[in-house]
Amino acid sequence: MPQNASRAAGRHFLQIPGPTPLPDRVLRAMDTPIIDHRGPEFAKLGKRCLEGIKTIFKTANPVIIYTATGTGAWEAALVNTLSPGDRVLMVETGQFATQWKTMAQKLGLKTEFIPGNWRTGAEPAKIEEHLRKDKAHEIKAVCVLHNETATGCLSPISSIRKAIDAAGHPALFMVDTISSLASTDYRHDEWGVDVTVGGAQKGLMLPPGMSFNAISDKALTAAKTSKLTKSFWAWDEMLTMNKVGFFPYTPATQMLQGLAVSIEMLHEEGLDNVFVRHARFAGATRGGVGGWGLEIIGRPPKFFAPTFTGVLLPDGHDSDAFRSLALDTFNISYGASFGPYAKKYFRIGHLGDINDGWLMGVLASTEMSLGLAGIPHKKGGVQAAMDYIVSAHSSGARAAAE
Amino acid sequence: MPQNASRAAGRHFLQIPGPTPLPDRVLRAMDTPIIDHRGPEFAKLGKRCLEGIKTIFKTANPVIIYTATGTGAWEAALVNTLSPGDRVLMVETGQFATQWKTMAQKLGLKTEFIPGNWRTGAEPAKIEEHLRKDKAHEIKAVCVLHNETATGCLSPISSIRKAIDAAGHPALFMVDTISSLASTDYRHDEWGVDVTVGGAQKGLMLPPGMSFNAISDKALTAAKTSKLTKSFWAWDEMLTMNKVGFFPYTPATQMLQGLAVSIEMLHEEGLDNVFVRHARFAGATRGGVGGWGLEIIGRPPKFFAPTFTGVLLPDGHDSDAFRSLALDTFNISYGASFGPYAKKYFRIGHLGDINDGWLMGVLASTEMSLGLAGIPHKKGGVQAAMDYIVSAHSSGARAAAE
Amino acid sequence: MPQNASRAAGRHFLQIPGPTPLPDRVLRAMDTPIIDHRGPEFAKLGKRCLEGIKTIFKTANPVIIYTATGTGAWEAALVNTLSPGDRVLMVETGQFATQWKTMAQKLGLKTEFIPGNWRTGAEPAKIEEHLRKDKAHEIKAVCVLHNETATGCLSPISSIRKAIDAAGHPALFMVDTISSLASTDYRHDEWGVDVTVGGAQKGLMLPPGMSFNAISDKALTAAKTSKLTKSFWAWDEMLTMNKVGFFPYTPATQMLQGLAVSIEMLHEEGLDNVFVRHARFAGATRGGVGGWGLEIIGRPPKFFAPTFTGVLLPDGHDSDAFRSLALDTFNISYGASFGPYAKKYFRIGHLGDINDGWLMGVLASTEMSLGLAGIPHKKGGVQAAMDYIVSAHSSGARAAAE
Amino acid sequence: MPQNASRAAGRHFLQIPGPTPLPDRVLRAMDTPIIDHRGPEFAKLGKRCLEGIKTIFKTANPVIIYTATGTGAWEAALVNTLSPGDRVLMVETGQFATQWKTMAQKLGLKTEFIPGNWRTGAEPAKIEEHLRKDKAHEIKAVCVLHNETATGCLSPISSIRKAIDAAGHPALFMVDTISSLASTDYRHDEWGVDVTVGGAQKGLMLPPGMSFNAISDKALTAAKTSKLTKSFWAWDEMLTMNKVGFFPYTPATQMLQGLAVSIEMLHEEGLDNVFVRHARFAGATRGGVGGWGLEIIGRPPKFFAPTFTGVLLPDGHDSDAFRSLALDTFNISYGASFGPYAKKYFRIGHLGDINDGWLMGVLASTEMSLGLAGIPHKKGGVQAAMDYIVSAHSSGARAAAE
């Protein structure tokens, strides 16, 4: 914005990989008088949310709703199912996988970490190999991020399930879907996941402050013998109260008002349409990055994230300085960088309640910022992205016509 | 949106030449409990609005605030100053000038209409010539649209003032600024305008439902002898009550809540910055249209509107069909076409609370729609627009640094 | 509020006879992104409003929706049906009847005013008597306020219709329902009214800024020969555009968003339930005033308003000072007083989206203010009101059980 | 509401002891586009909240802000300071004290519970006596509820501090202020509390979903050697990030937007005025209960809660049935009853952003419900409450005048 202005014009482009731009309908649903969390109107709201959220995780089992951000749901997944000293297998996909590992250690678990270079997703073969060595079945859980939020690498959950089965290993399978849920296909039941961790502030188009545990029967059984201490995170009281639409402690009523509406919106669009839309955005963005002649941090393409894209800058260019220039000039926020690649890349979020035109605004702001920042790149990224979108809509129209 | 969806994703691109996308801050200011329009809190609000709106019209005189859309303020300008049978001079810049003329006739005035081709603004020389012939000074008012909202042609108000003076003619000078106010420079006092008509739903970033008459001393004098019947629109009661911050009839309280904030926002950005921003958007859009190899309806460039651009489609292409395709596919609304050029052009609004990235989303949606619609055009419009923006920011930065 | 505070706690009691406390659902419906007033989504909204509003006026004919407050709809009723010099019969029920008369005069009509004492409603017999004398049928319209907003006197519209018929007089019958519509029964068609004037900001629970003309076939016929000048208020263009859900000029889109919801809310409650609720509030309030030993300005009881109650203070007590004390101490606004009774009474609004508990808050604030102001009164008003409410609910329950 | 209606009119009276009626200003502050929780605008918001919340707890030390309801902050207080097997002393004031005790046991602590009858607060003398017996200082913490939310009994925190000191005992002192904070005086530093637990949804006038730990230096020291496992609740990472206005995990951005405004509102009113207002409401409510001839569950008066009042019904009357009738008829929610007194009393919340008139609406709804329910009581409760309020305002005015 101009130096002599105290206000930037127009709508902020919140292109971090979550929270995502909040739809007005969700914000307005939360902007309502608060209701008695023990009264009959709440019971209806509670049931609507508790039933609805199952359709998002694609599970017939209960989903626990926490008033806490995703980090809390990570902790809940662990403390409800495991006991002090249990071994858990995790995969070093990046910053967030590392944080979950650190958390597990703080909680008294013994972690084994399949090393990674922070640029790829989890490899089923490596997990299978690791599990096969654990003949005594001392490993009690395998924990993977569906999408590593630090870099944008999508791991093949269904294949990992098969790898665990191939190893004949009884470990619980826990998956973090915080930056993938409701943006790309995910099937808790069909893919045999035992605990799925989810959050509100990405594909669900809600503010941060709510997170989830979708749980299998096997996980419920494990919970009965789990010895890690727990109270706030305990599933049992939740499950009991949830049956009648209530919660053991005062829930975040306004978040539930928003959740009920966000689930409704996802179904109005159609979950499959939501996934196609996000895939189109991801394809267009990758086309744009290619057009600029820049490199995507995640690789190879089989790991490309559907929800955001990490863009590496040429050597010698600081991505934090770039983000700052873009924010000042074009009112756009990107996600930061982490670990060995800190300051070397930035993340363009392309998830949540956005459309093609908005995405083009994002990519154009990026191309213009590259220009203003003097970062070496080719023009033509936006053009490539537009071509991708036009082509996608043309084939969509053809498919519908045939 | 997909055929099997009942909801379009993302934010609508409201690119008609007004109403413009409402800033959240304005909407939230209007989303407040209503207050007593005869109480002390209201008096503060009333004064804040009545004083603030003067800074937008750049006048030291009172500005009347009507609960009505712009059409009402047109009527008010005429009935407060003129008498049945009075001659008024108007200029055929397009559809809206024609509507104002029709209104004048309905109200019992005799209109003289300098003919036009609906593609240019008003020419000071022609006005001067017309007035010189009126030696008896029977013409009581000259009425011009600062910006013809049907096509986007900006007329040179200051020069028209000089032309009237050069003709030595005492007619009142009335100007409609509905699609220019608060987006491009306008100076009621300095330019010697007697009644300026304005509306809320364009540069002021408010919903429709409020309009204005800025009035000169000469207009106030004329009002004393005006014989057209009036009651709702009468200035006198308004002026009396406004002195203490109140209104003779129940005012649109929530609109005033919004107005107070929109004026505040314009000053936070700085009016001159607001004008520079709109000029940049207009330049970029024209660059885009040129890049597509299409023609702008308004011409020559000296008349180009700063707030929206009318784009002519190649012969044989229906602009209403094009608008419909763009709405269905990209969730974007353009302005319609009028008169002899109906269905031949569409209007891209680039005014109100938008920024560079948003505009690029608009232009990209347009370029992609041209592609999907099979309308002959060159690629490269968005690229040209981006180049324009980058260049504008670069020179801005250079200017600031020097 | 305390002298060292800059904020009064709690919700303001807006007990003027309109605007009324806005329901959150209406405010939130208006707090949405603005849509294209020429697009398909708007057409749906327009039709929903135009059809819905008929059910409120109880008419099968069109209702014109103006972006203007009630005063504008008064003007519209007159200018669309009458010609310069036409005689109109009005009744001096109070301040607002007087203002309508003054407006008619400004518009060039000749008014005849049945005198009144500002404490009673219109008497059918006097109207009949007046009309019988007009053997030449020079009186073209009879204009009455259903409820005089200055004092709260409800006139018997159906009986006045019968009186006009009994006189065999062909004058148009125009009724102002601004402070009665959607709060007490009103039947445009059945009662044979030709033009009904209504406003948004009372029983319709909307902000000010919208008003209505419900029109009979006879009024439509009169419009064809009416000679008063008109443009903004003209029915003809409105009726044409409204057929497809649109408006000739930019309508107040957000007000229409609110209107659609307010009509929906009235039907969810049930119009008859709405009327019963308002009657209960009126009964309780009158019980309260009686309990305090104070006098109601409107009289006799057959004229009592269902929507607000004017309370006379004992001689020597200034009702403006009382209102000011109540506002400062209890955050409550009452309506002011007018004409010969200025400063002698205040008006307690009991209309719109309020319930029994809220009304008791109002009456208790009033009783406590009387105490703090040292105004002679008996305690027991609130008790009498509570007894009234309990009794009303008991008989309602009995009725439902039988 | 009527049986044939699907909508209850008017505003709901949310008179549970929290969440409390949300001020529009707080709701609107939360109804804003979400911002980047790692960007410069957030840093300002974060600092504003982190500094502001200290003024509410009256501490110069840091206050930890959790995205979780109060239960989470209970857990945080314990796991950050204590080690497995540590002994903690708690006082059985009622349901919530019992729940905290149960939580402590789940977390592996050994609890000692000074028995109570669920009708009184904590007695300093008993605590001192208990601590004196612990000559080995094995008790590591004394945990007390400032106000027992189940019944409304306020415990004398300052006196308990003195009792602990008198016993010469080094135990940490932890206090739950969930239903007292920002409604009645509380002084974390001056009263020598080590960990104060607070929540958002009562005196802070926010939705549920946020809770607090105010911490002394002694508590920070204890945290260094605490052995209970913790990750989400750990203070250390929070304190580090908070220094620059950020949070280690995605915080509940919209709750922080609300918090910044609610703190601002409390200071605009003035904290001392807030406390006087709540004391007045409590006095009036007790006057009302006395007027009805009913009994308050908390006793003796020295323990009366300032924020809500538990009202015992005569034997044989079910308070849940009473609450249900009041909800259906008067759109009012009361708090439920617990433990040995379940179904015998109901709680009238009189806290948060309400004013005198609103409270009278509450008490009148209660008196009318007692009537409709056929519960034996005397009329005159509302009258007594009004007398109390008038008297309070009179003496306030006198005091100000002197």
Side-chain angles (χ1 to χ4, degrees), chain C residues 2-13 22-25 27-28 31 205 265 268-270 273 277 329-331 353-358 360-365 367-368 371-372 379-380 382-383 385-387 389-390 393-394 400, chain D residues 2-13 22-25 27-28 31 205 265 268-270 273 277 329-331 353-358 360-365 367-368 371-372 379-380 382-383 385-387 389-390 393-394 400:
Chain C
Q3 292 184 323
N4 59 344
S6 64
R7 166 179 187 267
R11 189 159 283 276
H12 180 65
F13 283 92
L22 300 177
D24 284 281
R25 197 164 136 198
L27 274 172
R28 258 10 64 77
D31 186 354
M205 313 176 293
M265 288 169 73
E268 285 175 15
E269 183 174 356
N273 290 324
R277 176 165 59 83
T329 316
F330 294 114
N331 204 0
D353 188 39
I354 64 172
N355 57 27
D356 295 302
W358 180 276
M360 291 303 112
V362 169
L363 297 178
S365 296
E367 183 163 333
M368 295 188 294
L372 284 169
K379 290 185 182 183
V382 171
Q383 187 65 56
M386 288 195 291
D387 292 347
I389 299 272
V390 167
H393 281 292
S394 301
Chain D
Q3 292 184 323
N4 59 343
S6 64
R7 166 179 187 267
R11 189 160 284 277
H12 180 65
F13 284 91
L22 299 178
D24 284 281
R25 197 163 137 199
L27 274 172
R28 256 13 62 79
D31 186 355
M205 314 176 294
M265 288 169 72
E268 285 176 15
E269 184 175 355
N273 290 324
R277 175 166 59 83
T329 315
F330 294 113
N331 204 1
D353 187 40
I354 64 172
N355 56 28
D356 295 302
W358 180 276
M360 291 303 113
V362 169
L363 297 178
S365 296
E367 182 163 334
M368 294 189 292
L372 284 169
K379 289 184 182 183
V382 171
Q383 188 65 57
M386 287 195 292
D387 292 347
I389 299 271
V390 167
H393 281 292
S394 302

Side-chain angles (χ1 to χ4, degrees), chain D residues 117-293:
Chain D
N117 65 358
W118 291 44
R119 295 190 67 172
T120 59
E123 307 269 14
K126 289 189 185 170
I127 292 170
E128 182 177 341
E129 181 191 347
H130 197 105
L131 290 177
R132 282 189 187 279
K133 291 181 191 159
D134 175 36
K135 299 202 193 303
H137 293 173
E138 292 187 349
I139 291 172
K140 298 301 178 195
V142 176
C143 302
V144 174
L145 274 62
H146 187 203
N147 191 33
E148 166 59 59
T149 308
T151 51
C153 288
L154 195 76
S155 292
I157 299 307
S158 177
S159 302
I160 294 173
R161 170 78 269 167
K162 286 175 192 140
I164 298 171
D165 292 347
H169 200 288
L172 293 166
F173 184 25
M174 302 194 192
V175 178
D176 165 316
T177 64
I178 289 175
S179 65
S180 62
L181 188 75
S183 311
T184 195
D185 196 17
Y186 186 78
R187 309 175 183 201
H188 178 83
D189 284 3
E190 186 181 326
W191 292 353
V193 181
D194 293 305
V195 187
T196 302
V197 169
Q201 74 271 29
K202 317 257 169 168
L204 278 171
M205 314 176 294
L206 289 166
M210 180 177 276
S211 53
F212 310 95
N213 274 184
I215 45 186
S216 71
D217 288 337
K218 185 172 165 187
L220 283 169
T221 303
K224 291 181 185 156
T225 53
S226 152
K227 295 277 188 304
L228 280 174
T229 56
K230 57 197 148 276
S231 176
F232 183 84
W233 307 113
W235 290 343
D236 50 2
E237 278 187 86
M238 282 288 216
L239 292 168
T240 305
M241 292 292 283
N242 285 177
K243 277 174 191 154
V244 285
F246 293 113
F247 291 80
Y249 331 121
T250 315
T253 315
Q254 302 313 80
M255 288 293 295
L256 292 169
Q257 299 277 21
L259 177 63
V261 166
S262 83
I263 293 171
E264 192 174 273
M265 288 169 72
L266 287 166
H267 287 304
E268 285 176 15
E269 184 175 355
L271 278 183
D272 287 341
N273 290 324
V274 170
F275 303 153
V276 165
R277 175 166 59 83
H278 280 82
R280 186 170 72 244
F281 294 163
T285 303
R286 288 171 210 142
V289 177
W292 298 322

Side-chain angles (χ1 to χ4, degrees), chain C residues 130-304:
Chain C
H130 197 105
L131 290 177
R132 281 188 189 279
K133 291 180 190 159
D134 175 36
K135 297 203 192 303
H137 293 173
E138 292 187 349
I139 291 172
K140 298 302 178 197
V142 176
C143 301
V144 175
L145 273 63
H146 187 204
N147 191 34
E148 167 58 59
T149 308
T151 51
C153 288
L154 194 77
S155 292
I157 299 308
S158 176
S159 302
I160 295 174
R161 170 78 268 168
K162 287 176 192 139
I164 298 171
D165 292 346
H169 201 289
L172 293 166
F173 185 24
M174 302 193 192
V175 179
D176 165 316
T177 63
I178 288 175
S179 67
S180 61
L181 188 75
S183 311
T184 194
D185 196 17
Y186 186 78
R187 308 175 185 202
H188 178 84
D189 284 3
E190 187 182 327
W191 292 353
V193 182
D194 293 305
V195 187
T196 302
V197 170
Q201 74 271 29
K202 316 256 169 169
L204 278 171
M205 313 176 293
L206 290 166
M210 179 176 277
S211 54
F212 310 96
N213 275 185
I215 46 186
S216 72
D217 289 336
K218 186 173 165 186
L220 283 169
T221 302
K224 291 181 185 155
T225 54
S226 152
K227 296 276 187 301
L228 280 174
T229 56
K230 56 198 149 274
S231 176
F232 183 84
W233 307 113
W235 290 344
D236 50 2
E237 279 188 87
M238 282 289 217
L239 291 168
T240 305
M241 292 292 282
N242 285 176
K243 276 174 191 154
V244 287
F246 294 113
F247 291 79
Y249 332 121
T250 314
T253 315
Q254 302 314 78
M255 287 294 294
L256 292 168
Q257 298 278 20
L259 177 64
V261 166
S262 84
I263 293 171
E264 192 175 275
M265 288 169 73
L266 287 166
H267 288 303
E268 285 175 15
E269 183 174 356
L271 278 183
D272 288 341
N273 290 324
V274 170
F275 303 153
V276 164
R277 176 165 59 83
H278 281 82
R280 187 171 70 243
F281 294 164
T285 304
R286 289 169 209 143
V289 177
W292 297 324
L294 298 178
E295 190 183 350
I296 293 173
I297 186 165
R299 64 183 184 187
K302 70 170 176 176
F303 292 124
F304 279 166

Side-chain angles (χ1 to χ4, degrees), chain A residues 2-13 22-25 27-28 31 205 265 268-270 273 277 329-331 353-358 360-362 364-365 367-368 371-372 379-380 382-383 385-387 389-390 393-394 400, chain B residues 2-13 22-25 27-28 31 205 265 268-270 273 277 329-331 353-358 360-362 364-365 367-368 371-372 379-380 382-383 385-387 389-390 393-394 400:
Chain A
Q3 292 184 324
N4 59 343
S6 63
R7 165 179 187 267
R11 188 160 286 275
H12 180 64
F13 284 91
L22 299 177
D24 283 281
R25 196 163 139 200
L27 274 172
R28 255 15 61 79
D31 186 354
M205 313 176 293
M265 288 169 73
E268 285 175 15
E269 185 175 354
N273 291 323
R277 176 166 58 84
T329 315
F330 294 113
N331 205 0
D353 188 39
I354 63 172
N355 55 28
D356 296 301
W358 181 276
M360 290 303 112
V362 170
S365 296
E367 183 164 333
M368 295 189 293
L372 284 169
K379 289 186 181 181
V382 171
Q383 188 65 57
M386 287 196 292
D387 292 347
I389 300 270
V390 167
H393 281 292
S394 301
Chain B
Q3 293 185 324
N4 59 343
S6 63
R7 164 177 190 268
R11 189 159 284 276
H12 181 63
F13 283 91
L22 300 177
D24 283 281
R25 197 163 137 198
L27 274 172
R28 257 11 64 78
D31 186 355
M205 314 176 293
M265 289 170 72
E268 286 175 14
E269 184 175 355
N273 291 324
R277 176 166 58 83
T329 315
F330 293 114
N331 205 0
D353 188 40
I354 63 171
N355 55 28
D356 296 301
W358 180 277
M360 291 303 112
V362 170
S365 297
E367 182 164 332
M368 294 189 292
L372 284 169
K379 289 186 182 182
V382 171
Q383 186 66 56
M386 287 195 292
D387 292 347
I389 300 271
V390 167
H393 280 293
S394 301

